[in-house]
């Protein structure tokens, strides 16, 4: 593992553990999700910058770390990807979920292909958890995934195809 990836991994784990962040449905430490996303990105040929950004993709959004700190510690390429992956339309804005997701979709459309690949990896891991643990929310989530697939079309084709299969396998 490269120094960049190892440093990003350590930073992400520490940042999420500092706030005792766990996964909603399983209660596992949140960093397990980050590890799976990083592994998925690496499995489709992601370079060190992309894998480091995969480890860090939720740090700004969830832990209060500033994007400037990511830039200072990991460089502009990693910081740019993390910035592109940081959801800016959070529930705290007071806007309903459907509107937030539509605004996020418009924002994601303008991100780089590298960021879209990491987002696809993120969605793949989130899908496994949500679709198996929250049948009530699954219908809404699948609809959001279908809309996002069009937006993420210039991300990795293999990951997009895998996500389509996950959606189809959970049609009911």
């Amino acid at each position: 593992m490269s120094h960049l990836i190892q440093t990003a991994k350590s930073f992400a784990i520490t940042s999420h553990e500092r706030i005792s962040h766990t996964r909603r449905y399983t209660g596992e430490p949140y960093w397990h999700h980050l590890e799976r996303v990083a592994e998925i990105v690496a499995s489709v040929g992601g370079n060190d910058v992309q894998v480091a950004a995969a480890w860090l993709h939720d740090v700004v959004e969830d832990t209060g770390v500033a994007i400037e700190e990511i830039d200072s510690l990991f460089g502009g390429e990693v910081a740019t990807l993390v910035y592109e992956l940081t959801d800016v339309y959070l529930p705290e804005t007071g806007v309903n979920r459907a509107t937030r997701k539509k605004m996020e979709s418009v924002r994601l459309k303008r991100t780089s292909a590298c960021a879209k690949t990491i987002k696809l990896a993120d969605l793949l891991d989130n899908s496994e958890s949500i679709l198996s643990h929250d049948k009530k929310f699954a219908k809404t989530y699948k609809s959001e995934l279908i809309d996002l697939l069009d937006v993420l079309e210039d991300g990795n084709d293999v990951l997009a195809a895998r996500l389509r299969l996950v959606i189809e396998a959970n049609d009911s």
Side-chain angles (χ1 to χ4, degrees):
M1 183 179 309
S2 76
H3 177 70
L4 177 64
I5 294 170
Q6 183 59 51
T7 305
K9 175 182 176 179
S10 296
F11 185 86
I13 290 171
T14 300
S15 297
H16 287 274
E17 285 184 342
R18 186 183 74 245
I19 63 167
S20 302
H21 197 188
T22 58
R23 292 288 279 175
R24 174 177 293 159
Y25 302 110
T26 64
E28 73 181 344
Y30 194 82
W31 67 264
H32 290 266
H33 163 67
L34 305 174
E35 181 175 51
R36 289 188 296 268
V37 173
E39 287 172 351
I40 292 168
V41 170
S43 77
V44 294
N47 63 28
D48 288 358
V49 167
Q50 293 164 319
V51 174
W55 271 104
L56 298 165
H57 79 272
D58 282 333
V59 169
V60 172
E61 183 177 321
D62 293 342
T63 72
V65 170
I67 194 67
E68 294 80 10
E69 185 173 359
I70 300 299
D71 186 37
S72 173
L73 293 171
F74 301 101
E77 285 183 275
V78 172
T80 296
L81 287 172
V82 172
Y83 179 77
E84 288 180 301
L85 293 161
T86 299
D87 191 347
V88 296
Y89 303 109
L90 301 173
E92 300 80 46
T93 61
V95 177
N96 72 47
R97 182 178 178 89
T99 302
R100 286 193 327 268
K101 292 303 176 181
K102 180 65 178 164
M103 292 180 341
E104 183 63 10
S105 179
V106 169
R107 188 189 72 76
L108 282 170
K109 179 78 173 159
R110 297 187 305 259
T111 62
S112 67
C114 290
K116 289 174 183 174
T117 293
I118 298 167
K119 184 65 176 178
L120 285 165
D122 180 40
L123 293 171
L124 274 167
D125 187 63
N126 285 338
S127 294
E128 181 178 315
S129 181
I130 291 168
L131 297 174
S132 64
H133 291 98
D134 194 341
K135 300 298 183 192
K136 183 178 176 184
F137 178 58
K139 183 175 180 179
T140 299
Y141 185 73
K142 285 191 304 186
S143 175
E144 293 169 355
L145 286 177
I146 291 165
D147 291 342
L148 276 176
L149 275 171
D150 288 337
V151 170
L152 301 173
E153 66 187 348
D154 56 335
N156 182 276
D157 291 340
V158 171
L159 297 184
R162 283 179 56 191
L163 191 55
R164 280 187 193 87
L165 288 174
V166 167
I167 294 166
E168 290 169 11
N170 285 279
D171 278 341
S172 51

